[in-house]
Amino acid sequence: ADSVEGQVPKTRPDADGKLRPRRMDEMVGQRDVIERLKIAIDAATSRSEPLGHILFDGPPGLGKTTFATVIPNEMNTSVQMANGAGLRAPKDLLPYLTNVSEGSVLFIDEIHRVPKAVEEYLYTAMEDFRIDVVLGDGVNARTLNLELKPFTLIGATTRAGMLSAPLRDRFQIREHLGWYTRAELAEIVHRNAKKLSVVVDDGTADMIADRSRSTPRLANNRLLWVRDYAQSKADGKFDREITRAALDMIGIDELGLDKQDRNYLDTLMRVFLGGPAGLDAIAHTMNVSSDTLEDEVEPFLLRSELLVRTRRGRLATPKSYEHMKRPMPDI
Ligand code: ADP
């Protein structure tokens, strides 16, 4: 959603790399998850075994990739990064699997997008650290059994419900990442302001937190944008006034909704009279993919009670009419 016109510019890779925590102690929030992972890491390390496979699920920007980089750091091992969308055929998986070293991590983001044919290779790879590759076809086909080094698969998904049961069951550790509190986001803003060598007072950090949809990635994006704005308009000093002006300029409102979020609610109210409307119909009208809406727009609207999902479709709530300053239709 970051590249949609008028929204926060995509975080520059260098800045994002700089802001991403490297160790568990640098991570904010997710205390329960961190507690459980520390125990699993301690136990695996003291037994000199690879860590069990881990599945993270939750909306985008809540720390799945961060965990996948922090865990190997804690275990002093390396990580290979793959994306489920790029693993179209079993052969796409081979370079990763044959490259794993003992105890290292293979991270597959968007693992729900791995096709069935590839998924089946993951089963034996995860369970027995072995894959059976079929070479050639017809009467000449032969099976090659490859032994793999024991490794840890970390999977991430925004759609835990789309994973098949056999795949889901092969993860020994499954963690759901939830939304961050205002205080946690404000702490992330303070820590990252320090890394960027800018000074942010508490009121400003709270304002950025309030407008970040409970999501660390958005808090970082907003902070970077406000820093740019302050540099160009106010000699780099920023306070609540500058922050409000900077965020208003890119269409981020008091609830943290961006233009796309408001466009969604506006479409639902204006075109579909508040619903119930099907997701695909809304997506077609807005000319965006329904996946984008379901992954990036709806989760926060649902949790903020600005939207409800019924069996017949999406429905605007009284709170969303109030936020959008539209009269409720007479029913
Ligand atoms: P996901 O993989 O779930 O989409 P990421 O792990 O890429 O999300 O997180 C996005 C950014 O948010 C990271 O680059 C990092 O800077 C920040 N972030 C995420 N989780 C935390 C956390 N617990 N503490 C501090 N920063 C975080």
Side-chain angles (χ1 to χ4, degrees), residues 8 34 151 241:
V8 178
I34 289 176
F151 72 103
E241 281 322 301

Side-chain angles (χ1 to χ4, degrees), residues 30 58-64 67 177-180 213-217:
Q30 309 290 359
L62 297 190
K64 299 182 292 298
F67 271 115
L177 300 189
W179 305 99
Y180 290 66
R213 291 198 334 201
S214 312
T215 306
R217 175 181 293 140

Side-chain angles (χ1 to χ4, degrees), residues 27-301:
M27 293 186 74
V28 175
Q30 309 290 359
R31 291 336 297 175
D32 302 1
V33 178
I34 289 176
E35 245 3 85
R36 287 189 290 266
L37 288 174
K38 276 189 172 156
I39 291 171
I41 290 172
D42 275 352
T45 311
S46 65
R47 287 195 304 259
S48 304
E49 281 174 9
L51 185 63
H53 306 302
I54 310 174
L55 181 66
F56 290 109
D57 81 87
L62 297 190
K64 299 182 292 298
T65 308
T66 303
F67 271 115
T69 54
V70 161
I71 291 168
N73 283 346
E74 297 288 336
M75 302 194 68
N76 281 320
T77 186
S78 60
V79 57
Q80 300 184 77
M81 300 269 187
N83 190 295
L87 302 172
R88 299 177 162 277
K91 70 169 174 28
D92 299 327
L93 200 54
L94 290 179
Y96 294 105
L97 290 179
T98 51
N99 264 334
V100 293
S101 55
E102 178 129 14
S104 73
V105 171
L106 170 59
F107 173 56
I108 304 182
D109 200 2
E110 299 198 271
I111 195 164
H112 59 275
R113 299 180 67 176
V114 169
K116 193 80 202 157
V118 177
E119 195 179 304
E120 276 161 11
Y121 279 77
L122 284 179
Y123 296 164
T124 56
M126 291 170 79
E127 215 159 68
D128 309 322
F129 303 119
R130 176 177 66 77
I131 42 169
D132 306 319
V133 201
V134 182
L135 296 175
D137 45 12
V139 285
N140 294 319
R142 24 188 209 103
T143 310
L144 191 68
N145 308 106
L146 281 181
E147 292 284 329
L148 308 173
K149 304 265 173 32
F151 72 103
T152 301
L153 182 70
I154 300 184
T157 180
T158 49
R159 305 275 184 94
M162 273 177 66
L163 283 198
S164 73
L167 181 57
R168 204 171 48 236
D169 292 346
R170 282 174 171 79
F171 289 97
Q172 284 90 34
I173 304 172
R174 279 171 268 171
E175 294 289 355
H176 173 76
L177 300 189
W179 305 99
Y180 290 66
T181 64
R182 178 192 208 213
E184 287 165 352
L185 290 174
E187 184 175 344
I188 291 174
V189 170
H190 276 303
R191 286 184 186 210
N192 289 339
K194 215 168 273 160
K195 289 189 195 167
L196 296 167
S197 313
V198 293
V199 182
V200 175
D201 61 58
D202 288 347
T204 305
D206 285 346
M207 178 177 277
I208 294 177
D210 284 341
R211 296 187 182 210
S212 296
R213 291 198 334 201
S214 312
T215 306
R217 175 181 293 140
L218 296 183
N220 288 346
N221 286 354
R222 313 296 197 231
L223 174 67
L224 290 167
W225 166 249
V226 176
R227 179 181 71 149
D228 284 354
Y229 182 96
Q231 221 146 43
S232 120
K233 298 263 188 193
D235 296 328
K237 255 178 55 99
F238 60 89
D239 55 15
R240 285 171 59 92
E241 281 322 301
I242 295 281
T243 301
R244 178 175 300 131
L247 295 179
D248 281 352
M249 186 174 179
I250 52 169
I252 310 294
D253 67 25
E254 316 83 68
L255 294 183
L257 305 192
D258 61 26
K259 284 180 179 163
Q260 179 161 263
D261 302 326
R262 281 196 308 281
N263 188 11
Y264 178 100
L265 292 177
D266 183 66
T267 304
L268 182 57
M269 292 169 184
R270 196 170 39 80
V271 183
F272 299 98
L273 308 176
L279 174 65
D280 289 335
I282 301 170
H284 278 305
T285 308
M286 290 175 67
N287 200 18
V288 298
S289 84
S290 47
D291 279 359
T292 301
L293 295 184
E294 195 165 2
D295 283 351
E296 294 174 24
V297 176
E298 292 191 332
F300 186 75
L301 297 180

